[in-house]
């Protein structure tokens, strides 16, 4: 593919492709949240914009993981990759003025601990864009993803036992590899932290003590977060998704959901935990 060849010649394009794919996930999440009832459910715990990527990834994996797992006739990965990339281009075309404009962040209006939190989050973002050197990622996550990309099926080689431990997360890595971008898997893992930030921010706004980010900084600077955000290992994103489900039931808020909204919340939680 022409874009992949360009990425091999100019490595900085790998990062660009990863960002376009991430914008594609955001655009898909934006369309999903057109459903008003979903806004009511997730609006309890966070501003919707922070949950769009997280929900879109879970939605994509919920639909396409079974199709890829049980289909041996059609390689879906190239179509899925191009589709997400196309949504990314649409996102850029619709919001290019906002993307190109440099929005000044007024740190003076924020608490010092929230500023530190945002700086750390940005540094983890840069770390997620670095080349993968993690043993597990190179040992079997990328191996399985490459096989998915080439054949559309999961590895079933009993001589490579680690490949049998793969799951839905390798689909995301394969999507990035279609464009020659190894960073996309790591970037998706990092994106889970964006959903968590949305919850932290909401908690901070409803709390009587609106200076709570020191506690969240302790979480964000945990060595395991540093480790997982620098690798394509599909674990951090699912940890964050589980935390979002936890928040749906234990977040204290004054909003009362209808019976239909409560039932749908249970179904959504169930599907996220399945993924």
């Amino acid at each position: 593919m022409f874009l992949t060849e360009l990425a091999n010649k100019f490595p900085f394009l790998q990062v660009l492709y990863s960002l376009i794919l991430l914008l594609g996930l955001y655009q898909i999440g934006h369309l999903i949240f057109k459903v008003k009832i979903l806004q009511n459910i997730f609006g309890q715990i966070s501003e919707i914009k922070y949950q769009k990527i997280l929900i879109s990834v879970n939605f994509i994996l919920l639909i396409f993981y079974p199709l890829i797992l049980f289909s041996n006739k059609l390689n879906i990965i190239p179509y899925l990759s191009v589709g997400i990339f196309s949504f990314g281009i649409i996102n850029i075309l619709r919001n290019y003025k906002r993307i190109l404009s440099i929005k000044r962040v007024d740190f003076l209006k924020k608490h010092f601990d929230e500023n530190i939190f945002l700086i750390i989050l940005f540094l983890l973002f840069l770390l997620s864009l670095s080349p993968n050197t993690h043993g597990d990622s190179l040992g079997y996550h990328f191996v399985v993803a490459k096989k998915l990309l080439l054949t559309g099926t999961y590895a079933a080689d009993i001589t490579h036992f680690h490949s049998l431990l793969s799951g839905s997360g390798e689909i995301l890595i394969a999507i990035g590899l279609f464009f020659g971008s190894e960073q996309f898997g790591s970037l998706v893992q990092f994106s889970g932290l964006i959903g968590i930030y949305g919850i932290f921010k909401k908690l901070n706004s409803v709390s009587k003590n609106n200076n709570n980010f020191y506690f969240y900084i302790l979480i964000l600077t945990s060595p395991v977060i540093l480790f997982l955000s620098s690798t394509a290992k599909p674990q951090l994103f699912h940890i964050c998704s589980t935390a979002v489900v936890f928040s749906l039931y234990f977040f204290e808020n004054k909003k009362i959901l209808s019976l239909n909204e409560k039932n749908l919340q249970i179904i959504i939680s169930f599907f996220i935990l399945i993924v």
Side-chain angles (χ1 to χ4, degrees), residues 61-75:
L61 293 182
L62 180 67
I63 300 299
F64 288 96
Y65 179 48
L67 291 177
I68 294 172
L69 192 62
F70 298 111
S71 174
N72 294 319
K73 296 181 179 180
L74 178 64
N75 187 351

Side-chain angles (χ1 to χ4, degrees), residues 10 72 77 99 111 166 173 180-181 191 216 228 234 244 249 271:
F10 307 101
N72 294 319
I77 297 295
I99 295 173
H111 291 285
S166 57
I173 302 173
S181 175
S191 70
Y216 308 138
L228 291 176
V244 169
Y249 295 92
F271 282 142

Side-chain angles (χ1 to χ4, degrees), residues 63-167:
I63 300 299
F64 288 96
Y65 179 48
L67 291 177
I68 294 172
L69 192 62
F70 298 111
S71 174
N72 294 319
K73 296 181 179 180
L74 178 64
N75 187 351
I76 302 174
I77 297 295
Y79 302 101
L80 183 58
S81 304
V82 172
I84 296 174
F85 194 87
S86 300
F87 274 110
I89 298 298
I90 292 172
N91 193 341
I92 292 173
L93 293 177
R94 292 185 61 183
N95 303 285
Y96 70 95
K97 290 183 179 179
R98 187 184 304 174
I99 295 173
L100 294 177
S101 63
I102 301 176
K103 185 177 180 181
R104 185 175 64 89
V105 178
D106 195 345
F107 285 98
L108 296 178
K109 292 184 179 180
K110 297 180 180 292
H111 291 285
F112 175 76
D113 50 349
E114 185 176 1
N115 293 335
I116 297 298
F117 183 94
L118 290 173
I119 291 172
I120 295 173
L121 195 65
F122 177 70
L123 293 175
L124 289 173
F125 166 74
L126 294 180
L127 183 62
S128 70
L129 294 178
S130 62
N132 274 275
T133 58
H134 179 250
D136 270 1
S137 297
L138 300 176
Y140 73 96
H141 292 299
F142 276 104
V143 173
V144 174
K146 187 173 181 180
K147 180 174 175 58
L148 272 172
L149 177 60
L150 295 176
T151 66
T153 59
Y154 278 87
D157 186 358
I158 63 172
T159 63
H160 193 278
F161 293 107
H162 280 106
S163 64
L164 302 178
L165 301 175
S166 57

Side-chain angles (χ1 to χ4, degrees), residues 34-77:
K34 290 286 187 180
V35 181
K36 187 68 175 179
I37 192 171
L38 293 179
Q39 295 181 25
N40 294 337
I41 292 172
F42 287 92
Q44 303 175 90
I45 61 171
S46 167
E47 291 182 51
I48 297 301
K49 62 182 179 181
Y50 296 113
Q51 305 302 327
K52 288 182 179 179
I53 295 176
L54 187 140
I55 291 303
S56 67
V57 171
N58 279 286
F59 176 80
I60 288 170
L61 293 182
L62 180 67
I63 300 299
F64 288 96
Y65 179 48
L67 291 177
I68 294 172
L69 192 62
F70 298 111
S71 174
N72 294 319
K73 296 181 179 180
L74 178 64
N75 187 351
I76 302 174
I77 297 295

